[in-house]
Amino acid sequence: MKNIVILGSGTAGTIMANKLRKSLPAKTWNITLVDRERNHYYQPGFLFIPFGSYSESDVVKPKAGFLPSGVNVIYTDIDKIEPQQNHVLLAKNKSLGYDFLIIATGAQLKPDETPGLKDKLYYKNIFDFYTLAGSLALFELFKTWKGGKLVMAITELPFKCPVAPIEFVCLAEAFFEKKGMREKIDITFVTPLSGAFTKPVCSDVLTEVLEKKGIKIVTDFYIERIDNDTKTLISYDGKEVPFDVLVIVPVNKGDDMIERSGLGDDLNFVPVNKHTLQHEVYYNIFAVGDAAAIPTSKAGSVAHFAADVLFENIMSAINGKPLEAKFDGHSNCYIETGYGKATLVDFNYDTEPLPGTYPLAGIGPFKLLSITRINHWGKLMFRWIYWYILLKARPLPVSNHMSMAGKKQVVN
Amino acid sequence: MAEKLLSGVTVKVNAEGYFEDLNQWTKEMAVEMAKEFNIELTEKHFEVIDYLRQKQKTGEQLSIRKVGNSGITDIKGLYTLFPGGPLKISSKLAGIPKPVSCV
Ligand SMILES: Cc1cc2nc3c(=O)[nH]c(=O)nc-3n(C[C@H](O)[C@H](O)[C@H](O)COP(=O)(O)OP(=O)(O)OC[C@H]3O[C@@H](n4cnc5c(N)ncnc54)[C@H](O)[C@@H]3O)c2cc1C
């Protein structure tokens, strides 16, 4: 009997378990998943909770409903991986041997890394929407908030879903406009980047979107600490941004388990080959999803596209063949811009987001880099697709490789 | 692709002025480029620059945090050495591409 162990049953781990169980005979291959949580969280849904469009039950479901039969699931903490021994240590000194290991433990939030974040204003004036607790706390606040300075800030790169903070300020603007109190809210977007987004064409489009909505942008702001007494964000070079309500994306890191295993970079993400997703030293270890240190977005769509490639490569590795499937860094995000509209970006390691149509050239129905109602439906539909198609690894009519068909070149 | 004359040599740079080929780089060029930012390069600056070039060659992703943890200087020190945009400016002077910490 051979063993595949998957660490983490979030988006990537769940998809991998479904794919592998369909293809590997249960007589010869054990598949074991380990996760500390019994519930699966639809993290993209956290964005909508502060504005009352989603509630807790839309975004939380028991993991068991999404896992195939014939997979062992262990709900416990992973202590560390001992790659030289080919085993994983779990809580209570249990150990789990493997022939192949898939690391899918995602990215975690580390508010403690920023001085003053988890202090006396935490969940009173300082919030996040990257956790269910944080987004629920914001929902409560926004019900009665009388207005003031609303600051959305990013502490460190990379972080999951790099467009979510932009969506947050757009949705907040529309929310307070609808409540008839827009003029009482001063919205500022604070980023360590030099623009709203990393990729140039997309950054220009999004910067314009924010400016049109009267949202201020503060760029190149790298947060050193938060002063709780004066309610101010302070950067390493001494710049200051005052706030009444601060919504922050805390530092994102790979799980501490990665550090204990000595397998991470300085943010505990696991360096793997960006095309094959295989570890450079331990050939039977792979990383997928947010846990992997590869130069593309940390996003559910990336996890989904990468899982297709990883599946092929694991099957090759099992059969002693070279790893021929290559991940191109394909990422695809709907970006909510408020008022029932959204835009869409589609890019990879080599090609930045460009205008055009998706997934069908010239037809769409979705429009890249333009703001339409149908893109918004795409985003809302994504929740249903996520729960019922994506996690279960049922086929979707989109390619895991980015395609240039339907895209228009832009000359800078 | 654009070109730039540095220390009497024509080097290939991109639209934002970052080197296309890190092998064209010399210390003299760094000193010359630093003047555009009103920076007088010291030993400390060159330690950071060497570190960046090394990491670039091994293909590691660079971030301000990483340089801050390198033991050469901390993040505040990095801002003092390269005011305004520590990683952007130091990468330019080091003759390496502009780092994309986040995509
Ligand atoms: C607010 C928000 C909005 C987002 N919006 C979008 C969007 O619009 N589109 C999009 O594509 N993506 C979006 N994302 C990103 C997306 O949710 C993630 O990229 C995706 O879930 C990553 O999947 P993963 O499997 O790598 O990690 P996860 O789904 O986070 O799963 C990791 C799992 O590992 C487990 N785990 C970790 N360490 C241990 C341990 N030591 N022991 C036991 N278990 C452990 C965790 O419990 C968890 O279940 C958003 C994320 C957030 C937070």
Side-chain angles (χ1 to χ4, degrees):
Chain A
M1 203 64 169
K2 299 235 178 196
N3 291 294
I4 293 187
V5 171
I6 304 173
L7 301 181
S9 176
T11 314
T14 303
I15 296 176
M16 286 311 299
N18 278 300
K19 281 182 179 291
L20 289 166
R21 191 65 293 168
K22 271 180 215 159
S23 302
L24 291 173
K27 273 198 195 121
T28 43
W29 282 94
N30 273 326
I31 299 174
T32 307
L33 269 166
V34 190
D35 203 298
R36 56 162 80 100
E37 294 268 355
R38 281 176 185 270
N39 279 326
H40 191 111
Y41 295 93
Y42 175 61
Q43 300 171 46
F46 296 170
L47 169 70
F48 297 97
I49 288 179
F51 311 107
S53 19
Y54 282 180
S55 63
E56 191 167 340
S57 62
D58 293 319
V59 300
V60 189
K61 296 187 194 296
K63 278 190 188 331
F66 303 95
L67 297 170
S69 54
V71 164
N72 317 316
V73 191
I74 307 175
Y75 293 107
T76 188
D77 264 308
I78 302 152
D79 178 25
K80 67 171 162 186
I81 303 160
E82 297 192 316
Q84 269 148 356
Q85 278 88 47
N86 294 315
H87 69 209
V88 180
L89 298 180
L90 308 179
K92 299 191 187 124
N93 288 327
K94 263 191 155 177
S95 112
L96 200 59
Y98 60 81
D99 293 285
F100 291 98
L101 181 71
I102 298 171
I103 302 175
T105 38
Q108 253 101 86
L109 305 177
K110 299 285 175 185
D112 292 321
E113 296 265 336
T114 306
L117 204 170
K118 242 179 144 173
D119 207 324
K120 59 185 178 195
L121 299 183
Y122 196 52
Y123 284 12
K124 291 198 185 74
N125 301 74
I126 301 178
F127 300 85
D128 68 80
F129 67 93
Y130 269 53
T131 56
L132 183 58
S135 57
L136 288 170
L138 264 176
F139 171 63
E140 288 304 321
L141 174 92
F142 282 169
K143 276 199 228 165
T144 56
W145 194 39
K146 299 278 180 291
K149 294 190 193 74
L150 174 64
V151 174
M152 170 77 241
I154 297 155
T155 52
E156 182 61 282
L157 314 168
F159 61 95
K160 322 188 209 201
C161 198
V163 294
I166 298 173
E167 300 182 275
F168 181 85
V169 287
C170 288
L171 292 177
E173 195 274 337
F175 176 79
F176 291 114
E177 173 70 36
K178 254 194 216 133
K179 274 187 130 184
M181 54 185 289
R182 173 66 184 93
E183 72 291 344
K184 295 206 179 95
I185 321 274
D186 178 26
I187 310 177
T188 307
F189 181 78
V190 178
T191 169
L193 293 169
S194 303
F197 195 60
T198 39
K199 310 273 184 169
V201 178
C202 177
S203 184
D204 291 348
V205 172
L206 294 176
T207 302
E208 203 186 307
V209 166
L210 297 192
E211 278 168 356
K212 274 202 188 130
K213 293 175 190 288
I215 297 167
K216 298 189 195 100
I217 310 183
V218 178
T219 57
D220 295 299
F221 193 100
Y222 194 39
I223 298 170
E224 182 190 8
R225 63 191 173 90
I226 301 163
D227 188 323
N228 280 243
D229 294 322
T230 58
K231 292 193 191 144
T232 324
L233 273 175
I234 299 167
S235 76
Y236 276 101
D237 48 349
K239 290 181 289 193
E240 298 189 351
V241 174
F243 63 85
D244 294 305
V245 169
L246 172 64
V247 181
I248 196 159
V249 182
V251 173
N252 280 215
K253 277 184 149 188
D255 194 80
D256 296 341
M257 174 280 288
I258 305 288
E259 189 175 8
R260 291 193 292 271
S261 313
L263 287 171
D265 63 10
D266 53 339
L267 286 169
N268 299 343
F269 294 119
V270 185
V272 286
N273 182 294
K274 69 174 183 179
H275 296 298
T276 62
L277 307 172
Q278 185 181 40
H279 195 270
E280 305 276 1
V281 178
Y282 304 106
Y283 293 149
N284 58 347
I285 298 185
F286 297 81
V288 63
D290 294 349
I294 52 173
T296 186
S297 297
K298 299 209 176 293
S301 63
V302 174
H304 165 235
F305 296 134
D308 281 352
V309 172
L310 181 58
F311 168 72
E312 283 184 49
N313 281 340
I314 291 204
M315 295 305 282
S316 299
I318 285 174
N319 296 313
K321 296 204 180 113
L323 310 188
E324 274 170 358
K326 302 274 182 266
F327 184 50
D328 65 354
H330 191 188
S331 176
N332 177 284
C333 296
Y334 291 94
I335 308 172
E336 282 292 302
T337 53
Y339 305 98
K341 290 187 177 176
T343 181
L344 172 66
V345 293
D346 189 61
F347 58 98
N348 70 10
Y349 291 141
D350 306 315
T351 309
E352 65 165 317
L354 296 170
T357 53
Y358 183 86
L360 300 176
I363 297 174
F366 303 117
K367 284 217 161 57
L368 297 163
L369 275 184
S370 48
I371 291 155
T372 67
R373 221 160 263 287
I374 191 149
N375 286 341
H376 166 69
W377 295 337
K379 176 103 183 181
L380 296 187
M381 225 161 65
F382 187 67
R383 182 170 64 99
W384 188 87
I385 291 176
Y386 183 91
W387 287 123
Y388 301 108
I389 297 183
L390 196 126
L391 286 180
K392 298 203 167 166
R394 293 188 174 126
L396 261 176
V398 293
S399 163
N400 60 7
H401 285 285
M402 197 206 77
S403 158
M404 277 309 288
K407 293 197 172 64
K408 295 192 197 89
Q409 287 291 357
V410 174
V411 184
N412 290 340
Chain B
M1 200 183 298
E3 288 180 336
K4 192 169 177 160
L5 190 70
L6 285 170
S7 312
V9 182
T10 309
V11 296
K12 283 183 231 133
V13 295
N14 74 2
E16 290 181 293
Y18 288 83
F19 272 51
E20 295 280 353
D21 175 5
L22 89 168
N23 295 317
Q24 284 196 304
W25 179 91
T26 63
K27 279 194 158 189
E28 291 70 46
M29 293 175 182
V31 173
E32 195 178 323
M33 283 188 285
K35 290 196 182 120
E36 294 171 28
F37 297 99
N38 291 319
I39 300 173
E40 187 89 40
L41 294 186
T42 62
E43 274 302 302
K44 213 48 179 177
H45 288 97
F46 275 110
E47 276 182 52
V48 173
I49 287 173
D50 286 343
Y51 174 84
L52 293 177
R53 289 179 59 81
Q54 251 174 37
K55 293 289 162 193
Q56 177 65 28
K57 281 179 191 158
T58 56
E60 273 182 59
Q61 274 174 270
L62 288 161
S63 63
I64 295 184
R65 166 185 289 264
K66 186 170 248 174
V67 187
N69 288 337
S70 64
I72 301 169
T73 179
D74 58 10
I75 298 177
K76 264 210 136 59
L78 203 59
Y79 270 93
T80 319
L81 290 171
F82 303 97
L87 192 59
K88 275 184 286 176
I89 297 172
S90 56
S91 302
K92 194 175 242 182
L93 302 188
I96 65 168
K98 184 174 171 180
V100 248
S101 324
C102 180
V103 264

